[in-house]
Amino acid sequence: MAKHRVYLIPGFFGFTHMGEKPAERIVYFGHVRDVLLEGFQKRGHTAEVESVTGHPTASLEVRARLILRTLEESASGDDAAIHLIGHSTGGVDARGLVSAWLPRQAPHLLERVRSVVSVATPHHGAPMASFFQQDRRGEMLLRLLWLFTVFSLRRGPRPMMFLAFRLFYALSETGHQLGFQATLLDQVTRLMAHLTPTEQATLEEFLDQVGKDQSIIGDLTPEKMVGFNQGNPDRPGVRYGSVITGAPPPSFLGMLRAITGKQDPGMGDLVSFRMLDPQPEVIYGAYSFLYKKSAPDSRELRTPDPSPTHDRLLRDIFGEEYRHRSDGVVPTRTQLWGELITAAVADHLDVLGHFDEPPEHVGWLKSGSHFRAPQFQGLWDRVIDFMVDGSQVRA
């Protein structure tokens, strides 16, 4: 049986897990790890799947060093094929590791790298990075973005999750007038219900790291990514593939779909109990804000034209206007690198299994993507095929 080592590299704000209680633990790649292990086994292969611990907002260089350390500690004892899967910024991390760091620091490991898979990765830059660079407000928004991501994915108390969303939304609109301070975020952290001291300390540590080092923001601007791409060419013998995501653009109909969970909501849904609940509307408002700031039409974002085959596949999935799409964080047109493994109507964290299908799956934002378990399984089956047997691109 062929043996594989798969390393899952988290993206911006990435973490391996958060929380001690099994029923409430957030595992960034938890659902992905399960489906990968099962998929390799079904194909007659053995695999070790490991999530890489990294710094949430440190520079690409710092993040690459952390990944390299993980590989050296875990992969040096055998000759298994190595595959790197990076979500969001993790895809950029993986490319930099294979192009620059492994040739210099661990050529014996480079020889074993078979594939680099990027998932919802800003290969040509993320315009949102330029927004977060603007002023002190950007740091506070980043910390709140982290908070409501944690609250959304955690099976915890909705009031505290809602508070995090409201703070983010208010600060994004009028924060410079309201005079929010970083200490307010610390107060929110301390107020979190049902957190053990260890859980609270872990979360506060991440928030502190975000506050002290946000180098990754500058590294991800479209201008900086031009230089990164020029200085980090693909390595011969390594197969590069990408999974591309795009969520529905914000709209009134989209809000109804996201809140009701119905693809074709009717007038009766306007007066439903769920519509009278303000929480989903605020959460959808946060999604709309992020989608706008992802700036899929930004002039600073310069992306090469896809091949005719890739262009046709993307049009089949997203429609004629796919170049104007975003997954709520990363523009769709900046995500293509190497082969197109598959594409999905999904928001930025849907593809990790963080979508609305309780009790197993808990969503991040109400984007109205309607991404569910069958799409999740099909997407990762195609990734496994890409790693294992080099199957052709399928839409």
Side-chain angles (χ1 to χ4, degrees):
M1 299 174 68
K3 185 173 182 179
H4 306 263
R5 283 192 174 273
V6 182
Y7 293 90
L8 304 175
I9 305 170
F12 189 56
F13 284 145
F15 56 93
T16 52
H17 68 274
M18 182 74 66
E20 297 175 300
K21 304 173 185 177
E24 297 182 356
R25 183 175 298 153
I26 310 165
V27 182
Y28 190 94
F29 281 112
H31 299 290
V32 174
R33 183 177 185 276
D34 293 342
V35 77
L36 289 178
L37 287 172
E38 182 180 355
F40 274 105
Q41 184 178 25
K42 285 182 177 179
R43 289 162 176 79
H45 297 258
T46 59
E48 297 285 339
V49 181
E50 181 174 352
S51 296
V52 177
T53 302
H55 190 293
T57 54
S59 67
L60 291 174
E61 179 176 343
V62 170
R63 291 162 63 93
R65 288 182 182 275
L66 292 172
I67 301 169
L68 176 60
R69 183 173 65 189
T70 298
L71 263 67
E72 290 179 326
E73 291 175 350
S74 61
S76 297
D78 58 37
D79 60 354
I82 293 175
H83 306 274
L84 305 175
I85 299 177
H87 172 252
S88 191
T89 310
V92 179
D93 295 330
R95 286 179 48 216
L97 178 75
V98 173
S99 176
W101 289 91
L102 288 182
R104 296 197 304 262
Q105 304 292 330
H108 61 291
L109 294 179
L110 176 62
E111 296 174 356
R112 293 164 49 193
V113 176
R114 297 292 180 266
S115 67
V116 171
V117 175
S118 57
V119 180
T121 294
H123 290 292
H124 303 283
M128 189 180 288
S130 301
F131 165 75
F132 282 125
Q133 268 193 314
Q134 289 177 0
D135 52 37
R136 177 71 175 175
R137 184 174 56 152
E139 176 190 327
M140 289 184 281
L141 280 171
L142 284 171
R143 298 176 78 188
L144 273 171
L145 179 59
W146 169 256
L147 270 175
F148 80 54
T149 299
V150 169
F151 282 129
S152 296
L153 301 184
R154 187 174 188 271
R155 294 175 176 87
R158 282 187 59 84
M160 290 307 300
M161 179 189 79
F162 183 47
L163 174 60
F165 271 104
R166 285 186 63 89
L167 284 172
F168 177 86
Y169 192 52
L171 182 57
S172 66
E173 294 295 321
T174 58
H176 62 290
Q177 298 174 355
L178 296 176
F180 279 108
Q181 301 294 324
T183 53
L184 176 62
L185 309 185
D186 297 331
Q187 292 293 331
V188 173
T189 303
R190 284 193 287 271
L191 286 171
M192 286 182 299
H194 305 302
L195 286 185
T196 68
T198 300
E199 291 171 345
Q200 183 168 319
T202 301
L203 186 53
E204 289 181 336
E205 178 184 355
F206 267 81
L207 289 171
D208 185 57
Q209 288 178 325
V210 171
K212 288 181 178 179
D213 187 354
Q214 299 180 33
S215 302
I216 191 63
I217 303 299
D219 288 346
L220 291 179
T221 62
E223 180 183 9
K224 283 293 186 68
M225 284 304 299
V226 169
F228 177 88
N229 291 336
Q230 292 174 346
N232 292 270
D234 291 350
R235 298 294 302 184
V238 177
R239 199 166 179 220
Y240 293 79
S242 50
V243 173
I244 298 180
T245 53
S251 66
F252 180 71
L253 178 59
M255 181 182 72
L256 292 181
R257 288 173 172 170
I259 293 173
T260 64
K262 298 179 180 180
Q263 187 65 27
D264 297 305
M267 291 300 295
D269 296 305
L270 289 173
V271 293
S272 68
F273 174 79
R274 296 180 69 184
M275 285 298 299
L276 296 176
D277 178 1
Q279 296 191 29
E281 294 184 44
V282 172
I283 295 172
Y284 191 81
Y287 164 71
S288 299
F289 171 83
L290 288 172
Y291 194 104
K292 179 180 178 181
K293 293 305 179 183
S294 71
D297 294 317
S298 173
R299 293 183 178 180
E300 67 174 333
L301 184 60
R302 301 180 183 275
T303 56
D305 292 331
S307 69
T309 299
H310 288 164
D311 181 70
R312 184 174 63 256
L313 289 169
L314 292 173
R315 289 178 188 275
D316 288 344
I317 298 295
F318 301 113
E320 296 297 316
E321 300 299 317
Y322 75 85
R323 294 174 183 270
H324 306 285
R325 282 278 192 121
S326 161
D327 65 7
V329 176
V330 177
T332 298
R333 63 188 172 108
T334 193
Q335 299 177 28
L336 180 60
W337 192 271
E339 301 177 49
L340 199 168
I341 300 173
T342 191
V345 177
D347 66 44
H348 198 60
L349 287 187
D350 279 343
V351 288
L352 299 182
H354 303 309
F355 50 83
D356 288 323
E357 197 168 21
E360 293 300 321
H361 300 273
V362 179
W364 178 46
L365 289 178
K366 289 189 175 294
S367 64
S369 68
H370 292 279
F371 187 85
R372 296 293 185 266
Q375 291 89 345
F376 177 74
Q377 181 69 52
L379 183 151
W380 286 103
D381 275 340
R382 292 170 186 181
V383 172
I384 297 170
D385 288 341
F386 178 84
M387 292 187 291
V388 170
D389 59 22
S391 61
Q392 295 182 349
V393 175
R394 293 170 290 176

